[in-house]
Amino acid sequence: MTQPHRVHVVGAGLAGLAAALVLAEAGVGVVLHEAAPQAGGRCRSYLDATLGCRIDNGNHLLIAANRAAMRYVDQIGARHTLTGPGVAAYPFLDRKTGERWVLRPNAGKIPWWIFAASRRVKGAGPFAYFSARHVRAAGDDAVVRGALDPTTTIFRRLWQPLAVAALNTETEAASARLFGQVLRESLGAGGQACIPLVPREGLSETLVDPALAKLRSTGVEIRLSSRLRGIGFEGQRVASLDFEGTSEPIGPSEAVVLAVPAPVAPRLVPELIAPDEFRAIVNAHYRIALRGDAPWFVGVIGGTAEWVFRKPEVLSVTVSAADRLVDTPAETMAPLLWADVAAAFALPTEPMPAWQIVKEKRATFAATPAQLLRRPGTATRWDNLVLAGDWTATGLPATIEGAIRSGFTAADRLLGRNQTG
Ligand SMILES: Cc1cc2nc3c(=O)[nH]c(=O)nc-3n(C[C@H](O)[C@H](O)[C@H](O)COP(=O)(O)OP(=O)(O)OC[C@H]3O[C@@H](n4cnc5c(N)ncnc54)[C@H](O)[C@@H]3O)c2cc1C
């Protein structure tokens, strides 16, 4: 279609926000519809009444190589709200042996760091890293645990924690190919690319609130608590959007970006194939403020916790691919995870601070080879309807970077541009 004069973006998660930004900057009129009373979707902060402070719905780590996310934070003027150690340094603790090490890839692309014992995984020699070539060469059906030798130290202490965190899928089922892509865009791109970035305050303060402010300043109409119930199709076009109590006619020079999550989109778009298997993420938050010289985060091997993040007012734990934990009562889980947190940050185990457990049962789609085949592209068979979301075929797992890239791609398609994400 020719460039639309107005676009309705449905869903104000990062995919929808990114699409709206690009369209509004190109001078297109944008209406942003969001079902929830707030924007941000699966990436946002809120006041937790139990802890009496703001927390993020989950720990989200960005790295400098996330080019779409970096472009997005620049567009919304929020780069200065990202902080971190400033170098690629990833501290780990093995709960079984008590050993600690800091993974420190050198800045450039030639990985001489693997020959420096002080920079690599404890107990894994330099040549262990070459096993990464097996995931890069893996076939479409291969899973991480099949492509890599799970009995090795490098698997247990590096490949497995990275794969589970990035793909939110257990290594027995996670696509080796997709993990290969993650490695290409992170460790394979050199230490400069791996510099970790975390929000100074919270996810909303970095990724959502500045985006909304920017959108409002460019004239975008933002309609919160506005849930799309159905889409009216006529021939090759979307002709109406049906919200509770109202129907919005879609004129000949209008288009729609559908940026809702994977479980919602097939209910709105006939015959749409989308991922239909999901994995949980469990987060635990402990109300304790540590000094600024404590590590930004610690990777935990062989515990229940996997990554522990230091935030201004809490220590926050992430457990990915956590379906095994979702039925465990929070009262059981809190001390279990706290033991790992206390060990990771060398804190006394008693008393356990005030805590909160947040279980996201369908945090992301399962990154299995079969589910990847269900990811649709941006275009649909309707001329004025495009898709966005972390579950579309971004080539990445369900991540901030994937979601933002999908939003950029959807907007570019409507603008008739080559992909710029
Ligand atoms: C606990 C957790 C931890 C995570 N950790 C990381 C991490 O460390 N690093 C990383 O990169 N990624 C991480 N992710 C993934 C990341 O948060 C997501 O990939 C990303 O936020 C998805 O954005 P999205 O816009 O595609 O979807 P969503 O955020 O789901 O946005 C979709 C929006 O559509 C709205 N909506 C739904 N139905 C309708 C409707 N009918 N009408 C109107 N609006 C509707 C929803 O309310 C929502 O706001 C994590 C996710 C979770 C849950």
Side-chain angles (χ1 to χ4, degrees):
M1 72 180 288
T2 50
Q3 184 173 316
H5 87 269
R6 194 155 87 130
V7 176
H8 294 264
V9 178
V10 182
L14 295 178
L17 290 170
L21 273 173
V22 173
L23 290 162
E25 280 195 346
V28 176
V30 177
V31 186
L32 179 59
H33 307 264
E34 165 56 50
Q38 75 287 317
R42 280 169 284 155
C43 185
R44 63 192 171 80
S45 323
Y46 56 91
L47 177 68
D48 181 85
T50 309
L51 297 180
C53 65
R54 274 174 78 76
I55 58 173
D56 291 337
N57 76 312
N59 295 308
H60 287 63
L61 182 72
L62 284 166
I63 58 171
N66 292 152
R67 63 172 194 270
M70 294 305 115
R71 177 181 147 197
Y72 173 91
V73 292
D74 284 343
Q75 267 173 309
I76 62 176
R79 178 78 78 125
H80 67 283
T81 67
L82 286 170
T83 182
V87 289
Y90 290 78
F92 283 90
L93 162 70
D94 189 320
R95 281 285 276 150
K96 295 238 156 51
T97 64
E99 287 168 286
R100 288 180 189 268
W101 63 96
V102 181
L103 190 80
R104 289 189 301 128
N106 56 283
K109 267 193 161 186
I110 297 168
W112 57 259
W113 62 275
I114 61 175
F115 296 102
S118 62
R119 287 176 169 265
R120 60 178 192 243
V121 172
K122 204 165 252 181
F127 298 105
Y129 296 84
F130 293 119
S131 57
R133 71 184 187 280
H134 297 305
V135 284
R136 295 203 185 123
D140 288 343
D141 292 341
V143 295
V144 172
R145 194 170 269 259
L148 295 165
D149 180 354
T151 63
T152 56
T153 301
I154 191 89
F155 184 86
R156 187 170 161 268
R157 288 186 167 178
L158 186 62
W159 304 141
Q160 170 153 285
L162 281 188
V164 172
L167 277 63
N168 192 30
T169 305
E170 61 287 358
T171 53
E172 292 84 347
S175 159
R177 261 246 155 114
L178 194 57
F179 184 45
Q181 184 58 24
V182 169
L183 287 181
R184 230 185 317 274
E185 294 201 20
S186 53
L187 277 181
Q192 193 69 25
C194 297
I195 294 175
L197 296 162
V198 292
R200 193 181 298 280
E201 280 185 67
L203 291 169
S204 289
E205 287 79 3
T206 290
L207 294 166
V208 184
D209 299 343
L212 292 175
K214 175 84 183 184
L215 291 173
R216 285 196 180 100
S217 75
T218 40
V220 172
E221 187 185 338
I222 299 168
R223 299 184 189 166
L224 299 175
S225 303
S226 172
R227 182 178 297 279
L228 183 68
R229 296 282 180 196
I231 302 179
F233 296 98
E234 261 173 32
Q236 291 306 301
R237 297 182 47 77
V238 171
S240 64
L241 294 180
D242 303 322
F243 298 92
E244 208 144 62
T246 57
S247 183
E248 179 94 30
I250 302 298
S253 63
E254 291 187 306
V256 176
V257 176
L258 191 65
V260 297
V264 178
R267 285 188 240 139
L268 296 165
V269 179
E271 294 163 34
L272 177 66
I273 308 257
D276 57 0
E277 210 187 295
F278 302 91
R279 289 293 186 270
I281 295 181
V282 167
N283 281 276
H285 308 270
Y286 298 90
R287 185 79 151 95
I288 178 169
L290 294 192
R291 287 170 33 160
D293 56 358
W296 291 92
F297 50 81
V298 177
V300 179
I301 307 295
T304 309
E306 289 168 353
W307 291 91
V308 188
F309 287 77
R310 168 173 63 82
K311 306 278 182 73
E313 296 179 289
V314 288
L315 284 175
S316 286
V317 176
T318 296
V319 188
S320 299
D323 298 71
R324 68 190 182 284
L325 287 182
V326 284
D327 294 329
T328 307
E331 294 70 23
T332 311
M333 228 189 301
L336 198 66
L337 292 169
W338 173 248
D340 288 340
V341 177
F345 281 84
L347 297 168
T349 47
E350 297 283 342
M352 179 170 70
W355 53 270
Q356 179 63 282
I357 303 257
V358 183
K359 302 173 183 175
E360 295 256 8
K361 283 195 178 169
R362 294 203 286 187
T364 71
F365 69 85
T368 65
Q371 288 293 302
L372 298 189
L373 294 175
R374 299 180 65 88
R375 299 177 85 180
T378 308
T380 67
R381 69 182 164 94
W382 291 278
D383 294 340
N384 62 343
L385 175 66
V386 295
L387 303 173
D390 62 356
W391 51 278
T392 57
T394 63
L396 293 175
T399 50
I400 291 177
E401 175 68 10
I404 292 176
R405 273 191 210 177
S406 78
F408 286 166
T409 306
D412 284 346
R413 184 166 185 97
L414 292 178
L415 295 170
R417 293 179 186 161
N418 289 330
Q419 186 179 330
T420 56

